[in-house]
Amino acid sequence: MSFVAIIPARAASTRLPDKPLADIAGKPMVVRTAERAAASGAARVLVATDDERVARAVREHGIEALMTRADHPTGTDRLSEAVHALGLADDAVVVNVQGDEPLIEPTLVDAVAGLLAERPDAAIATCACPIADAAALFNPNVVKAVCAADGRALYFSRAPIPWARDALAGGDRILAPGLPAWHHIGLYAYRAGFLRRFPTLPQGALERWEALEQLRALEHGHAIVVHQVNQAPAAGVDTPEDLERVRRVYANRL
């Protein structure tokens, strides 16, 4: 099964300026991420960026770079431009690997790409892991996924869903035993045809209220299928503390 891995990377970050270029054991973070993506079954790996410094850095390490506009509101819009530029067929599978995921598991990249290839009814594949504690369930920064029996996503929310009515009736913030609560993991595989259409889809009320981009697809009738894994993958880099954690991991590998 052939697919393309695209890593959208923008240098602007309020918490960690120039994040894609942050050094991790002698290489920029975006290069480390691309190397992990290249260890998957991807037929092609490239970085889509609006920053010449990022493009230059990845090319110096033998990785393909594609310059894109600087005014994209989301990473998905950047992927849409990349798909147009690359001339990919509508049924081509494109995996969006976030540029701040230098510990991403190549097997997880393969899994979401493979799931989408197996599900012609879906426009997107993503993944989720079980929520193990009440703190995560009630944390609005932990996005919850609710799925149908066939693995299709029914909804994504920052709220604690599904709501265990009886267990939570007393107002206690506990995790009900056996509650099928899933933590959405931000790794996506798309059909190129959907990515082409994405910028034309108007933002709906659910996306605006939840501030969750994936709800745009559901609101417009595009199916999302979810690959379920047993445990959370390594976290990405959002803060200086995250960066130091990842640097320690790479230091121990060398």
Side-chain angles (χ1 to χ4, degrees):
M1 194 276 301
S2 179
F3 66 92
V4 177
I6 301 180
I7 303 165
R10 55 191 294 269
S13 173
T14 54
R15 287 185 290 184
L16 202 58
D18 292 339
K19 182 164 65 168
L21 299 172
D23 180 82
I24 298 177
K27 294 181 182 179
M29 182 192 308
V30 68
V31 170
R32 291 295 186 186
T33 301
E35 290 174 340
R36 299 294 288 170
S40 73
R44 187 176 184 182
V45 176
L46 64 139
V47 174
T49 184
D50 59 5
D51 193 304
E52 286 284 0
R53 296 172 304 156
V54 174
R56 185 167 56 252
V58 300
R59 286 170 180 151
E60 287 174 354
H61 288 85
I63 298 163
E64 185 179 359
L66 176 68
M67 290 301 300
T68 54
R69 300 199 321 266
D71 60 349
H72 287 304
T74 71
T76 311
D77 289 286
R78 195 175 306 282
L79 259 66
S80 181
E81 182 186 354
V83 163
H84 278 287
L86 295 172
L88 298 180
D90 280 351
D91 61 352
V93 174
V94 176
V95 178
N96 176 2
V97 179
Q98 299 297 330
D100 56 4
E101 296 280 354
L103 298 178
I104 188 74
E105 286 294 338
T107 54
L108 194 57
V109 176
D110 289 334
V112 295
L115 177 60
L116 186 60
E118 294 168 3
R119 295 291 297 267
D121 58 314
I124 305 172
T126 188
C127 49
C129 64
I131 290 178
D133 60 75
L137 179 65
F138 287 92
N139 184 348
N141 294 316
V142 174
V143 177
K144 274 66 71 172
V146 173
C147 300
D150 65 354
R152 285 181 302 110
L154 296 174
Y155 194 63
F156 298 92
S157 181
R158 297 183 183 279
I161 58 172
W163 184 258
R165 185 195 63 177
D166 296 336
L168 298 171
D172 294 330
R173 293 197 165 198
I174 59 174
L175 185 67
L179 181 70
W182 292 88
H183 178 185
H184 176 240
I185 300 163
L187 176 68
Y188 297 93
Y190 299 95
R191 297 198 191 282
F194 171 82
L195 286 173
R196 282 196 176 87
R197 292 190 295 275
F198 179 80
T200 70
L201 299 177
Q203 188 184 62
L206 295 177
E207 180 186 358
R208 286 195 299 273
W209 280 102
E210 293 265 19
L212 295 176
E213 186 182 324
Q214 61 268 39
L215 289 176
R216 191 180 313 183
L218 294 184
E219 287 189 88
H220 289 282
H222 297 280
I224 301 175
V225 289
V226 181
H227 172 66
Q228 296 177 342
V229 296
N230 292 328
Q231 61 184 23
V237 176
D238 288 322
T239 66
E241 293 75 19
D242 292 335
L243 179 58
E244 290 307 314
R245 169 180 52 82
V246 171
R247 283 171 170 165
R248 288 193 295 272
V249 171
Y250 270 87
N252 289 334
R253 288 178 177 177
L254 299 177

